[in-house]
Amino acid sequence: MFTGIIETTGVVEQITHDQSNLEIYIKSSISQELKIDQSIAHNGVCLTVDKIADHWHRCTLIKETLDRTHFHQIKIGDKLNLERSIKAESRMDGHFVQGHIDTITTCNKIINEQGSWVYNFELPDPFKSLVVEKGSICINGVSLTISKLEANHFEVSIIPYTFDYTNFNQIRKGSMVNIEFDILGKYIRRILQVQGSGYLAL
């Protein structure tokens, strides 16, 4: 379980192929502090650390992960947002994030507000019922508030700290990002779907 509060960033230094899998080697300031089999959110994707050496760690991306995330486009030099799982005694500064990506979407435009930035993203049809204005959303692992919601797109506002210390400063018009919708919304939608089909038994 994560909060969407990014701890640091890492850089992809090497990519190797193992059948249908990709093995990515990430250099970061926390790599040497990690443990084998530890779960770390990489751009919002919960991945297992399977090798550590020097100042890098390795994770393996299987077909399911590549199909559901923007990691099918990953390349050497990419900056990734990193977050270790939340501790039981920690403050909850963001919102509950599982690290299970729902979909990917595209950045439509970025507006420089001279002190903050507004990012506009496509809102895919199957997920429109999972977003509300002023609700939470996780983009590339960052817990954010939806500042504006329209029929086919939504906006989030980025403060200078988030812009400087995450990979939002590398997102451009046309960039693809990982999206995880609020888990509460997903459960509510599922309950309503089951109720509508007449299969809900309490």
Side-chain angles (χ1 to χ4, degrees):
M1 183 70 73
F2 308 94
T3 65
I5 304 300
I6 302 305
E7 187 172 355
T8 189
T9 57
V11 177
V12 178
E13 291 214 315
Q14 183 181 347
I15 301 173
T16 57
H17 295 261
D18 181 10
Q19 298 184 78
S20 64
N21 301 335
L22 282 186
E23 298 171 334
I24 59 172
Y25 296 74
I26 303 104
K27 181 178 181 180
S28 78
S29 61
I30 64 171
S31 291
Q32 284 192 311
E33 302 174 22
L34 305 181
K35 297 178 181 179
I36 301 297
D37 204 31
Q38 188 172 0
S39 295
I40 307 294
H42 297 69
N43 271 13
V45 183
C46 182
L47 298 175
T48 301
V49 176
D50 57 25
K51 190 172 183 179
I52 301 170
D54 297 327
H55 294 285
W56 57 262
H57 64 279
R58 187 185 74 181
C59 298
T60 299
L61 308 177
I62 63 173
K63 185 177 184 298
E64 168 71 8
T65 305
L66 295 172
D67 287 345
R68 284 186 175 268
T69 72
H70 70 42
F71 280 140
H72 66 275
Q73 297 182 331
I74 197 169
K75 60 186 183 299
I76 292 174
D78 281 355
K79 182 192 289 188
L80 304 180
N81 297 325
L82 303 179
E83 181 191 356
R84 286 179 276 195
S85 57
I86 187 174
K87 295 181 179 180
E89 70 273 16
S90 297
R91 295 183 186 275
M92 275 292 298
D93 290 319
H95 71 283
F96 283 119
V97 175
Q98 293 183 296
H100 303 159
I101 302 304
D102 293 300
T103 190
I104 54 178
T105 195
T106 305
C107 179
N108 290 324
K109 62 182 177 179
I110 303 168
I111 303 169
N112 189 331
E113 298 278 323
Q114 304 302 314
S116 64
W117 294 261
V118 174
Y119 286 72
N120 182 291
F121 294 99
E122 286 289 321
L123 180 55
D125 282 336
F127 304 99
K128 289 182 177 180
S129 63
L130 294 178
V131 292
V132 294
E133 194 164 306
K134 306 306 179 185
S136 296
I137 194 167
C138 190
I139 302 176
N140 274 3
V142 183
S143 174
L144 296 166
T145 300
I146 296 172
S147 56
K148 186 176 181 180
L149 178 62
E150 297 193 7
N152 298 309
H153 59 85
F154 67 92
E155 293 180 352
V156 294
S157 297
I158 302 299
I159 64 173
Y161 182 89
T162 303
F163 185 85
D164 290 338
Y165 289 96
T166 72
N167 63 12
F168 262 83
N169 55 43
Q170 295 191 340
I171 295 175
R172 303 287 184 266
K173 179 180 178 180
S175 293
M176 300 195 76
V177 295
N178 295 324
I179 299 288
E180 180 182 337
F181 297 101
D182 190 352
I183 188 173
L184 295 177
K186 289 188 280 189
Y187 274 116
I188 291 170
R189 184 171 76 168
R190 178 58 179 162
I191 289 170
L192 293 175
Q193 288 174 338
V194 173
Q195 281 182 329
S197 64
Y199 290 115
L200 185 64
L202 298 178

